[in-house]
Amino acid sequence: MIGQLIFAVCFLGALFFFSKNARLIYSNIQLGRDLDRSDKPLERWKTMILVAFGQKKMFKRVIPAILHLFVYLGFVIINIEMLEIIIDGLFGTHRVFSFLGSFYSFLIGSFEWLALGVLLSCIVFLIRRNVISVNRLNSKELDNWPKTDANIILITEILLMSAFLLMNAADFKLQLYGYEHFKSVGSFPVSHYLLPYLPTSTTSLYLIERFSWWFHILGVLTFLNYLPYSKHLHIVLAFPNTYFSNLNAKGQLSNMNAVTNEVKAMLDPSFTPPSSDVTARFGAKDVQDLTWKSLLDAYTCTECGRCTSSCPANITGKLLSPRKIMMDTRDRLTEVGDNIKVNGSFVEDGKSLIDTYISREELWACTSCNACVEQCPVNINPLDIIIELRRFAVMEESQAPGSINNMFGNIENNGAPWKYAQMDRANWTQQQ
């Protein structure tokens, strides 16, 4: 009973703290502007199934995709086994689903092969990050905590899978000895190779089995509460994020209703813009000016760097990194959320997303080519954030690079981006 009580306290406590952090993240996302993404539900479900569940966009790079697929399947499927562990922990049973007979053996065998796949894949990922030093995984924006975070995740998953296999191996050996309630159930195609390395003492085996059991379940519960502070939060948010993807053509930029209505009013004096379209600010200066979808994107970012490694501006040495745009947005959103949590409402802190976190040089290096959007495995859109920050710089502050201001002047004076007068536009058609 003591073990069951300890387990119940740990389990309920983990759920409580996770739900608390989840509510905080949700409230931070709600700070964003409204955006309707309720249209085309069937297409949205299809997108989520293909991109989030099916890992469709991961396979643009085959080797990392296969390794990630092992980790993904292992994480999803092995956690079915967590249901049995939770029931055993709460009610003091042991392998409660063993009554399933041969199907149970199939499940345990499948879990073991998947656990081995996760373990080996995470080792390869560690080597790629820290030994081979793949460029996109070692950019300067990943220095310090982001790189440490990635390594913590990989090491944790290796330890959890190792504990799972060691637990099964000790359990299987106790079954062979006929020890107490360890009845002969399950199939152990991977962990049985560990049997020669385990002690023969049933007492030692029982301690190993119990230690591995507790280490595995407490490790999972701890990892659950680590997610809100980690890039690994994408394992939860990838599904809603892909569901609420922008289904329009990638090159289609959204119009600002306030500007559209201003033009309509100029063309038709009788037009009265709806009060709901009145805006306090053009574009975005801080995270509260972005849409809730952009804020969800920030929390969903996996920091994989596929966006940055495909960005033509970054490739040519420009300061822009789409991954950094998302990381900066998440950092600022967390800071604003903490500010509100402490003060009850946001208290001006002299900072903003533009300038404090994201520089003007980064913004204007973007070519709006959508390469980052195309490459992201979970349909994150850094371009939306860049465009909104640019709109603020131009429409609120009248600050734009000289080349942009020249273009604006040409459009105003000549009706086109070029410096030629309208009457001279067709001169090129004249034969010499």
Side-chain angles (χ1 to χ4, degrees):
M1 285 299 296
I2 294 177
Q4 292 170 241
L5 288 173
I6 293 174
F7 178 85
V9 170
C10 293
F11 178 66
L12 295 175
L15 292 182
F16 170 77
F17 286 110
F18 177 76
S19 63
K20 182 179 179 181
N21 286 322
R23 286 195 300 271
L24 178 61
I25 290 173
Y26 178 76
S27 64
N28 285 350
I29 293 172
Q30 290 294 102
L31 294 174
R33 292 189 290 106
D34 289 339
L35 178 68
D36 184 10
R37 287 285 170 87
S38 60
D39 61 323
K40 304 178 182 177
L42 291 179
E43 188 174 350
R44 295 191 177 281
W45 278 107
K46 179 182 176 182
T47 301
M48 183 178 72
I49 290 170
L50 290 176
V51 178
F53 281 101
Q55 308 280 291
K56 176 183 176 181
K57 295 180 73 174
M58 286 293 297
F59 282 87
K60 293 178 182 292
R61 306 184 187 195
V62 178
I63 293 177
I66 293 173
L67 295 172
H68 187 273
L69 184 62
F70 278 123
V71 176
Y72 169 69
L73 290 176
F75 180 85
V76 172
I77 297 175
I78 292 175
N79 277 332
I80 298 174
E81 172 258 352
M82 286 296 299
L83 180 60
E84 181 181 58
I85 290 181
I86 291 170
I87 294 174
D88 286 345
L90 291 174
F91 298 99
T93 54
H94 184 75
R95 295 195 177 273
V96 69
F97 292 153
S98 60
F99 68 88
L100 295 173
S102 58
F103 182 65
Y104 184 76
S105 296
F106 168 77
L107 284 177
I108 296 299
S110 301
F111 294 160
E112 290 214 340
W113 283 115
L114 286 170
L116 180 63
V118 173
L119 194 154
L120 294 177
S121 297
C122 288
I123 290 174
V124 173
F125 281 139
L126 273 176
I127 293 172
R128 292 177 78 243
R129 283 182 173 273
N130 301 288
V131 179
I132 300 176
S133 295
V134 176
N135 287 336
R136 68 183 174 89
L137 302 177
N138 287 275
S139 300
K140 61 181 181 180
E141 66 250 31
L142 297 181
D143 288 347
N144 301 318
W145 172 246
K147 188 172 183 178
T148 302
D149 175 39
N151 287 328
I152 287 174
I153 292 166
L154 293 172
I155 292 170
T156 300
E157 291 188 356
I158 290 171
L159 292 175
L160 291 178
M161 294 305 103
S162 298
F164 172 71
L165 293 173
L166 184 59
M167 175 189 74
N168 281 355
D171 193 312
F172 184 40
K173 198 161 188 176
L174 287 168
Q175 291 179 26
L176 295 176
Y177 287 164
Y179 182 74
E180 293 186 2
H181 57 271
F182 288 83
K183 55 186 177 181
S184 183
V185 293
S187 174
F188 305 93
V190 177
S191 61
H192 83 272
Y193 288 106
L194 299 176
L195 264 58
Y197 305 100
L198 295 177
T200 56
S201 166
T202 54
T203 302
S204 298
L205 286 171
Y206 180 75
L207 290 175
I208 291 172
E209 192 276 338
R210 285 292 85 192
F211 173 81
S212 300
W213 187 92
W214 278 101
F215 183 88
H216 183 71
I217 184 62
L218 293 180
V220 170
L221 295 177
T222 301
F223 188 66
L224 177 69
N225 281 279
Y226 178 69
L227 288 182
Y229 306 98
S230 163
K231 77 184 189 73
H232 219 54
L233 186 61
H234 74 271
I235 64 177
V236 177
L237 295 184
F239 303 102
N241 199 69
T242 51
Y243 180 85
F244 293 115
S245 298
N246 182 5
L247 300 180
N248 296 323
K250 289 185 175 64
Q252 180 179 336
L253 297 179
S254 61
N255 291 323
M256 298 180 64
N257 290 334
V259 176
T260 301
N261 290 329
E262 186 79 16
V263 174
K264 288 180 178 179
M266 292 171 61
L267 298 175
D268 180 8
S270 65
F271 175 78
T272 303
S275 58
S276 60
D277 287 340
V278 176
T279 182
R281 175 173 287 157
F282 294 111
K285 178 182 180 182
D286 214 338
V287 290
Q288 302 97 314
D289 304 318
L290 298 170
T291 67
W292 62 262
K293 178 57 171 64
S294 290
L295 303 186
L296 177 60
D297 279 350
Y299 272 120
T300 309
C301 180
T302 70
E303 299 177 13
C304 66
R306 292 186 179 213
C307 53
T308 295
S309 67
S310 301
C311 174
N314 186 272
I315 291 171
T316 56
K318 301 290 195 304
L319 191 61
L320 174 65
S321 168
R323 171 173 56 188
K324 180 179 176 295
I325 296 292
M326 303 314 303
M327 294 171 66
D328 287 343
T329 302
R330 182 177 61 212
D331 290 345
R332 175 57 179 166
L333 179 56
T334 301
E335 185 176 49
V336 169
D338 291 342
N339 183 316
I340 295 173
K341 183 179 178 181
V342 171
N343 300 298
S345 60
F346 182 71
V347 175
E348 185 60 48
D349 57 2
K351 300 179 182 179
S352 62
L353 184 59
I354 191 171
D355 291 331
T356 306
Y357 283 83
I358 301 174
S359 68
R360 311 283 171 132
E361 183 180 352
E362 291 174 81
L363 293 179
W364 294 108
C366 177
T367 65
S368 308
C369 69
N370 274 292
C372 55
V373 183
E374 175 63 29
Q375 286 295 322
C376 180
V378 289
N379 287 0
I380 290 170
N381 193 329
L383 183 59
D384 278 351
I385 297 174
I386 292 172
I387 293 297
E388 290 302 315
L389 293 175
R390 281 178 169 182
R391 282 173 168 169
F392 171 79
V394 172
M395 302 181 73
E396 291 275 349
E397 299 181 320
S398 299
Q399 292 188 24
S403 58
I404 303 293
N405 285 327
N406 290 336
M407 180 190 70
F408 289 154
N410 289 331
I411 291 174
E412 181 179 4
N413 297 320
N414 305 323
W418 306 284
K419 62 181 178 180
Y420 309 111
Q422 293 188 27
M423 65 182 64
D424 295 331
R425 284 187 199 169
N427 287 352
W428 67 273
T429 63
Q430 305 299 319
Q431 294 182 356
Q432 299 297 328

